[in-house]
Amino acid sequence: MYLQQLSVINFKNYSEAELVFSEGVNAFTGNNGAGKTNLLDAIHYLSLCKSYFNPIDSQQIKQGTDFFIINGVFNKNGGKETIACGVKRNQKKQFKRNKKDYQRLADHIGLFPLVMVSPYDISIIIEGSEERRKFIDNVISQTDSLYLDELITYNKVLINRNALLKRIADTGRYDPDLLAVFDEQLVASGNAIFAKRNAFMESFTGIFNRHYQFLSEDAEQVDLVYESQLLTDNFAKLLKKNTEKDRVLERTTAGIHKDELQFAIHGMPMKKFGSQGQQKSFLIALKLAQYSFLYQQKGFKPLLLLDDIFDKLDDKRVTKLMQMVSNNDFGQVFITDTSAGKVENIFKDIEVDLKLFKVTGGEINA
C-alpha cells in the first residue's frame, strides 16, 4: 500500500496544492513555518480522519475561508482507492471512499494504517497517563474496528455515570437502579477493552524490546509494563466497592480509564531518570514497534511519517533508522526537514527512491 497522490484546498496554510509521490521516500524540505508538517497532517487526516496535532477540525481551515478539502489516491493490492475528506465551518465532517459516504468514520480506521513520529511525541513520556492510553488505543484501533466501538461505548457510559454521580451530589437523591444500569454497561465494555489491551501488550512488549535493543545497541535495560486495576480485581466488584467513594468525589474512580503504561530504565521511571537521548530512543522504539505490530496484523506495510526528527537525533540513531530503511523494513516514508542537502546526504548511500519537495510559504516545488 502507498499514497500516489495528495491534493489539498484551504488546508492550514495551503490555498491549493497537488502532489504526486514516490513509492519510496518523500521528503518535504524548507524553513520552519513553511508548511512541511501540515502536509504530513493532511496525510494523517486521510488515514485516521483527524489531525495528529489538533482535535478541532474547524481550526485546520485556512484563515479567511470557510472549508477545507483533502483528497488522496492510494494504491492498495494493485487497485486504486480514492479518499476524500471535507470540513465546512459549523457542519459535520464528511469522508468518502471511492465517492461513497461512510455511515461511520470508525469504519475507515485501519484501512490505510499509518505511524507518525513527531517531536510532540515526548508527551507520551512526560505527560499524564491519558497520553499513554491514547497510544495503546491508536494502535489497537487500526487493527480492530470492534475495539474502537467498545471504546466509544465505554466513554459515553462513563460520561453518563459521572453526570449521574454529580446529580446525586447536587440533589441528594440517590438512584441505585440507574447507577446499576450504568455499572452493567460499563463492565461489559470495560472487560472487552481490558482483554484486548492485555492481549495487545503481551504481543507488543516483545516487539518493543527488540527495537529498543537495536537502537541502543543493547546498552540499557528498559521495561514497558501495563498496569490495570482489572489485572487483579473483578470490574463489577470494584465498582460496587467504590460506590461511596465515587459519590463523594462525583466521578468514577475504578475502570479501564485508569489504566497506565509504566516506562522504566534500569528499574527507574524513564520520565525522571532517562536522559534526553534515552527518552528519544524509547519513543522511537515505541513507534517502530507500533509499525511492526501493524505490519504483522495487517499483512502490508503502513505509511511512516517522520516529522523533523533528524534534527532531534544523534548520528548513531539516524544511522540505525537508515539501516532499517535500506533493509526494506519500511514501505512508503514521508519526511520533513529544514535542509534538502542534509536529506540527500543521509540517503545518498541507500538504494531507495527519494523524491524531494521544496516548501516555501504554502507553495511546493518538486
Side-chain angles (χ1 to χ4, degrees):
M1 179 200 75
Y2 64 93
L3 180 62
Q4 287 183 321
Q5 295 172 246
L6 172 73
S7 64
V8 297
I9 297 173
N10 297 338
F11 183 71
K12 298 196 175 184
N13 70 324
Y14 290 95
S15 296
E16 193 168 354
E18 191 162 337
L19 303 92
V20 177
F21 297 123
S22 160
E23 294 179 41
V25 177
N26 300 273
F28 305 122
T29 64
N31 294 331
N32 291 326
K36 305 183 301 294
T37 299
N38 293 344
L39 295 171
L40 296 189
D41 209 21
I43 297 169
H44 191 273
Y45 252 102
L46 288 177
S47 291
L48 295 172
C49 305
K50 62 181 180 181
S51 166
Y52 189 75
F53 304 100
N54 186 340
I56 302 172
D57 292 313
S58 62
Q59 292 183 3
Q60 320 308 319
I61 299 172
K62 182 176 171 64
Q63 193 170 5
T65 64
D66 294 320
F67 68 94
F68 76 72
I69 295 172
I70 306 172
N71 285 296
V73 179
F74 289 87
N75 186 299
K76 189 175 180 183
N77 300 323
K80 287 187 178 181
E81 298 259 11
T82 302
I83 305 300
C85 166
V87 172
K88 289 183 180 180
R89 293 193 191 278
N90 305 316
Q91 292 189 28
K92 188 179 178 182
K93 175 166 52 185
Q94 285 190 311
F95 247 86
K96 292 183 179 183
R97 179 184 176 197
N98 300 324
K99 298 183 179 179
K100 292 183 179 178
D101 283 300
Y102 281 101
Q103 296 298 315
R104 309 177 320 142
L105 292 183
D107 294 334
H108 180 74
I109 307 302
L111 293 180
F112 306 95
L114 172 151
V115 175
M116 178 98 153
V117 185
S118 161
Y120 292 93
D121 293 332
I122 191 66
S123 63
I124 298 173
I125 288 181
I126 66 174
E127 299 295 340
S129 59
E130 183 180 0
E131 293 296 322
R132 292 177 283 283
R133 287 192 298 275
K134 280 181 184 175
F135 172 77
I136 297 175
D137 294 339
N138 176 279
V139 184
I140 302 176
S141 294
Q142 291 194 66
T143 62
D144 186 341
S145 60
L146 295 178
Y147 179 82
L148 191 55
D149 289 340
E150 292 289 6
L151 204 57
I152 291 167
T153 299
Y154 183 91
N155 287 329
K156 284 180 180 176
V157 177
L158 183 64
I159 289 169
N160 289 335
R161 189 180 192 271
N162 288 344
L164 175 62
L165 290 168
K166 189 169 188 336
R167 191 160 69 245
I168 290 170
D170 290 343
T171 64
R173 288 195 290 272
Y174 184 40
D175 191 342
D177 293 335
L178 184 55
L179 192 63
V181 169
F182 288 149
D183 285 3
E184 185 178 339
Q185 294 172 343
L186 210 60
V187 166
S189 291
N191 282 338
I193 292 165
F194 166 71
K196 291 181 179 184
R197 283 181 180 174
N198 199 31
F200 162 71
M201 288 305 301
E202 286 179 0
S203 170
F204 184 78
T205 302
I207 300 171
F208 164 78
N209 285 334
R210 287 198 299 275
H211 280 295
Y212 189 88
Q213 295 311 320
F214 174 77
L215 286 172
S216 68
E217 298 179 331
D218 297 313
E220 299 118 7
Q221 174 62 47
V222 294
D223 293 298
L224 179 65
V225 180
Y226 173 51
E227 293 183 350
S228 176
Q229 296 164 322
L230 275 62
L231 283 165
T232 54
D233 287 297
N234 176 280
F235 193 10
K237 289 179 180 177
L238 267 177
L239 287 173
K240 196 167 185 179
K241 184 174 75 174
N242 287 335
T243 299
E244 289 308 311
K245 180 181 177 182
D246 290 357
R247 288 182 63 182
V248 170
L249 296 176
E250 301 176 26
R251 56 184 169 81
T252 306
T253 57
I256 55 94
H257 58 288
K258 297 292 184 181
D259 286 2
E260 172 66 290
L261 269 185
Q262 293 291 352
F263 301 156
I265 181 162
H266 301 305
M268 307 297 284
M270 175 64 76
K271 179 178 178 178
K272 292 183 178 179
F273 294 92
S275 68
Q276 284 190 348
Q278 289 164 338
Q279 289 182 359
K280 287 170 188 172
S281 291
F282 199 96
L283 280 170
I284 292 172
L286 272 179
K287 292 304 186 92
L288 295 182
Q290 176 186 2
Y291 188 96
S292 296
F293 180 82
L294 291 175
Y295 182 18
Q296 184 184 90
Q297 295 293 311
K298 291 294 192 179
F300 58 88
K301 294 173 181 176
L303 304 183
L304 180 63
L305 279 55
L306 304 175
D307 183 27
D308 192 30
I309 69 163
F310 294 137
D311 267 349
K312 308 295 187 290
L313 297 178
D314 58 32
D315 290 342
K316 183 180 80 172
R317 291 179 180 85
V318 170
T319 300
K320 287 289 187 181
L321 265 182
M322 292 309 99
Q323 275 181 253
M324 298 179 77
V325 172
S326 62
N327 290 340
N328 199 32
D329 290 354
F330 304 126
Q332 191 178 32
V333 181
F334 295 88
I335 292 169
T336 67
D337 199 88
T338 53
S339 170
K342 182 169 68 177
V343 172
E344 288 176 314
N345 190 51
I346 287 170
F347 285 95
K348 69 180 180 181
D349 297 324
I350 299 176
E351 293 183 8
V352 62
D353 288 335
L354 171 65
K355 188 166 185 178
L356 281 172
F357 298 86
K358 295 184 179 179
V359 182
T360 310
E363 299 291 328
I364 305 164
N365 293 299

